[in-house]
């Protein structure tokens, strides 16, 4: 019916016109006129039905097309089998279904790409041709401490007022090549910024990727400090030994009492060097796992008691009171009793060394839901706030304590020993009011 419908309307009107002319010229018998009139009326009815059906079909098709254009692709256009334009409606529904599948695929790819960018530890920012921010990932929001809504649409210079970075970004956008720059900010984050042009990115003209170099720079600083500190620690005893040898060679060797005194000094310095080497080797073994920990059930209270007993005489010699308190019914932990005892000895020895005569040192062993804790509290000189985060570094010693002897490795050994047991170390201190060093070992 759909194929013959376009011909029915003109044929019907032609038939009516011919009938009218025949009647005017009396060229057709009355009976034939009646037949033709009936046919014309029937044709008119058919044409009216077809026109009405076509109008309904086109209206539904138009409404559906508008709905599809607005993005509502899930519901098909309703139709009936008798509709003349059902083929058109079927074509529109098929188009909507295919578009819905393609949009779904594109949405999945977009979400995956966005998830990948948001999972990156590097901050990523895209800018348009006017250097305004078009996109930021979660790392960028964290880096600049602003939300996406606050960043997008604002000029890039608003968050990065640095001429070097702005020039790199514009060069990438205009000349189509990558640029790199490093921002060194003392006491702040050190950032490497890589800018690249975006090809086919729509409104995105260039991309800036911020790689945080702070941890790397901090590691480099620790290494430099390590070299400086180990040089200092080695130079002092070596210079002392060299001085003793030169003194003895210059004639002091002939005086027995003087010679014995200087040889005693040399012996002390050699012992200090030997202790330093032994502690360095111990650190190396712990870090590398070359000598694995003895994993066995131990009572940490007994371990701490042995360590305190070893140092009680030294504390009394310096007129200090060493008090130990151990909670009853401590749970057992799995660990190396010998290494943990050495760690406690280091903490208590430090407390004795940096406390004033007549003071008190408190060693407490307690428990939480998940750990057994050991804390050593003294009433000594304390530690400056800027030194607290670094006291567990190898050879790191605050200026206040550098005159007190020691290798500067004891606390580093404590830290690595505790961490090898899966535990954590902590220190709290206030200048002039003492320090509290503590560690916690998980209950297993």
């Amino acid at each position: 019916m759909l194929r013959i419908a376009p011909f029915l309307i003109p044929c019907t009107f032609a038939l009516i016109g011919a009938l009218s002319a025949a009647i005017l010229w009396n060229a057709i018998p009355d009976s034939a006129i009646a037949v033709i009139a009936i046919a014309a009326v029937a044709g008119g009815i058919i044409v009216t039905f077809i026109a009405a059906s076509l109008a309904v079909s086109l209206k539904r098709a138009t409404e559906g097309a508008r709905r599809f254009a607005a993005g509502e692709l899930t519901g098909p256009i309703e139709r009936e089998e008798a509709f003349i334009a059902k083929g058109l409606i079927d074509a529109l529904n098929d188009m909507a279904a295919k578009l819905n599948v393609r949009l779904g695929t594109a949405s999945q790819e977009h979400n995956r790409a966005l998830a990948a960018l948001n999972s990156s530890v590097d901050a990523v920012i895209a800018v348009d041709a006017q250097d305004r921010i078009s996109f930021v990932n979660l790392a960028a929001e964290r880096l600049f401490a602003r939300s996406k809504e606050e960043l997008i649409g604002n000029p890039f210079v608003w968050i990065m007022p640095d001429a070097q970075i702005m020039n790199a970004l514009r060069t990438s956008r205009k000349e189509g090549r990558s640029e790199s720059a490093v921002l060194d900010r003392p006491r702040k984050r050190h950032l490497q910024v890589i800018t690249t042009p975006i090809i086919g990115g729509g409104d995105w003209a260039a991309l800036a990727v911020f790689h945080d170099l702070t941890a790397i720079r901090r590691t480099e600083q620790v290494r430099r400090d390590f070299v400086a500190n180990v040089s200092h620690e080695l130079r002092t005893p070596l210079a002392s030994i060299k001085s003793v040898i030169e003194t003895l060679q210059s004639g002091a060797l002939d005086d027995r009492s003087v010679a014995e005194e200087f040889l005693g000094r040399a012996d002390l310095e050699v012992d200090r060097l030997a202790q330093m080497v032994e502690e360095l080797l111990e650190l190396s073994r712990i870090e590398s796992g070359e000598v694995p920990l003895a994993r066995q059930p131990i009572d940490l209270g007994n371990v701490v008691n042995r360590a305190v007993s070893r140092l009680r005489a030294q504390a009394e010699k310096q007129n200090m009171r060493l008090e130990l308190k151990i909670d009853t019914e401590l749970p057992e932990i799995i660990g190396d009793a010998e290494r943990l005892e050495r760690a406690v000895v280091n903490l208590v020895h430090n407390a004795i060394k940096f406390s004033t005569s007549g003071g008190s040192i408190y060693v407490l062993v307690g428990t939480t839901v998940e750990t057994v804790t050991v804390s050593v509290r003294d009433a000594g000189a304390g530690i400056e706030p800027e030194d607290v985060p670094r006291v567990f570094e190898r050879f790191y010693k605050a200026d206040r304590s550098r005159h007190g002897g020691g290798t500067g490795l004891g606390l580093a050994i404590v830290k690595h020993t505790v961490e090898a047991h899966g535990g954590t170390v902590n220190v709290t201190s206030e200048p002039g009011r003492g320090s509290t060093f503590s560690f916690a070992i998980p209950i297993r």
Side-chain angles (χ1 to χ4, degrees):
M1 181 176 290
L2 185 60
R3 292 180 179 178
I4 64 174
F7 302 100
L8 289 177
I9 296 176
C11 289
T12 301
F13 282 106
L15 180 62
I16 295 174
L19 178 61
S20 300
I23 294 173
L24 291 175
W25 293 93
N26 294 320
I28 300 177
D30 292 340
S31 58
I33 291 173
V35 172
I36 293 172
I38 293 172
V41 172
I45 294 172
I46 292 172
V47 169
T48 302
F49 170 76
I50 293 172
S53 178
L54 183 61
V56 172
S57 298
L58 291 176
K59 181 179 179 181
R60 290 192 178 181
T62 301
E63 292 174 350
R66 288 174 178 170
R67 183 161 51 85
F68 295 158
E72 300 178 17
L73 302 174
T74 53
I77 303 173
E78 297 181 1
R79 69 164 179 80
E80 298 177 5
E81 291 297 327
F83 278 0
I84 294 176
K86 64 180 181 180
L88 172 63
I89 292 177
D90 287 341
L92 288 173
N93 286 335
D94 184 57
M95 176 193 71
K98 291 180 179 178
L99 283 175
N100 193 37
V101 171
R102 292 181 180 179
L103 287 175
T105 302
S107 178
Q108 290 178 355
E109 292 178 354
H110 170 77
N111 290 336
R112 282 195 291 267
L114 188 60
L117 286 171
N118 283 330
S119 299
S120 173
V121 296
D122 293 333
V124 179
I125 295 180
V127 299
D128 59 19
Q130 286 75 41
D131 291 332
R132 292 185 173 274
I133 300 172
S134 304
F135 169 83
V136 295
N137 67 347
L138 291 177
E141 295 182 53
R142 291 192 295 267
L143 177 63
F144 296 104
R146 291 184 175 92
S147 67
K148 177 175 64 176
E149 290 74 18
E150 292 177 291
L151 292 172
I152 291 180
N154 284 300
F156 182 81
V157 70
W158 180 57
I159 61 168
M160 186 55 63
D162 186 272
Q164 184 184 14
I165 303 303
M166 290 303 303
N167 290 336
L169 195 64
R170 287 163 183 161
T171 299
S172 294
R173 191 184 71 242
K174 295 178 181 179
E175 301 181 13
R177 70 169 187 264
S178 297
E179 293 286 321
S180 178
V182 176
L183 291 177
D184 287 318
R185 297 180 171 183
R187 299 185 180 180
K188 294 184 178 180
R189 289 184 172 179
H190 302 272
L191 302 173
Q192 180 188 28
V193 186
I194 301 174
T195 61
T196 56
I198 301 177
I199 308 301
D203 292 336
W204 299 4
L207 199 69
V209 179
F210 296 80
H211 182 58
D212 195 344
L213 301 177
T214 306
I216 297 175
R217 293 298 175 88
R218 186 180 295 116
T219 301
E220 293 175 352
Q221 184 62 43
V222 169
R223 289 176 179 172
R224 286 193 293 268
D225 291 344
F226 172 79
V227 172
N229 286 324
V230 73
S231 299
H232 173 87
E233 296 299 334
L234 290 174
R235 183 173 63 246
T236 302
L238 289 174
S240 179
I241 294 172
K242 178 68 173 175
S243 175
V244 168
I245 293 173
E246 290 175 349
T247 302
L248 292 174
Q249 287 177 339
S250 65
L253 189 60
D254 297 331
D255 188 332
R256 184 176 180 83
S257 61
V258 174
E260 288 180 352
E261 179 185 352
F262 276 87
L263 286 174
R265 293 181 186 179
D267 186 55
L268 288 175
E269 296 299 340
V270 170
D271 287 343
R272 183 179 178 187
L273 285 173
Q275 180 187 357
M276 186 186 306
V277 171
E278 179 59 33
E279 290 180 343
L280 280 173
L281 289 174
E282 177 68 11
L283 271 176
S284 177
R285 286 191 290 263
I286 295 173
E287 290 179 345
S288 65
E290 181 181 336
V291 180
L293 297 176
R295 300 285 183 179
Q296 58 186 9
I298 59 174
D299 184 338
L300 193 55
N302 291 336
V303 172
V304 174
N305 188 34
R306 289 197 301 270
V308 171
S309 298
R310 289 171 56 182
L311 295 170
R312 192 174 295 280
Q314 181 179 346
E316 292 174 352
K317 183 179 179 181
Q318 298 186 31
N319 193 28
M320 294 181 188
R321 187 173 57 187
L322 186 56
E323 296 189 7
L324 172 63
K325 181 180 179 181
I326 303 175
D327 285 356
T328 58
E329 299 183 358
L330 283 177
E332 287 187 335
I333 63 169
I334 302 298
D336 189 316
E338 182 180 350
R339 281 195 165 91
L340 287 173
E341 182 178 339
R342 187 179 304 171
V344 177
V345 166
N346 285 339
L347 290 180
V348 177
H349 184 265
N350 265 14
I352 295 173
K353 183 167 58 176
F354 298 116
S355 293
T356 57
S357 178
S360 298
I361 297 171
Y362 300 91
V363 181
L364 308 175
V365 184
T367 182
T368 65
V369 176
E370 299 179 345
T371 64
V372 176
T373 62
V374 177
S375 62
V376 179
R377 185 172 78 246
D378 64 64
I383 306 171
E384 295 296 332
E386 62 269 19
D387 293 320
V388 169
R390 303 190 61 185
V391 294
F392 290 104
E393 294 178 12
R394 280 176 284 190
F395 288 109
Y396 185 84
K397 295 193 293 184
D399 291 339
R400 180 189 300 276
S401 67
R402 188 172 290 281
H403 303 288
T407 62
L409 293 171
L411 291 178
I413 291 177
V414 172
K415 178 177 183 290
H416 286 80
T417 299
V418 171
E419 290 181 347
H421 285 80
T424 56
V425 295
N426 186 47
V427 56
T428 58
S429 184
E430 185 177 346
R433 304 193 66 177
S435 306
T436 299
F437 286 84
S438 61
F439 64 84
I441 305 294
I443 301 171
R444 298 179 182 177

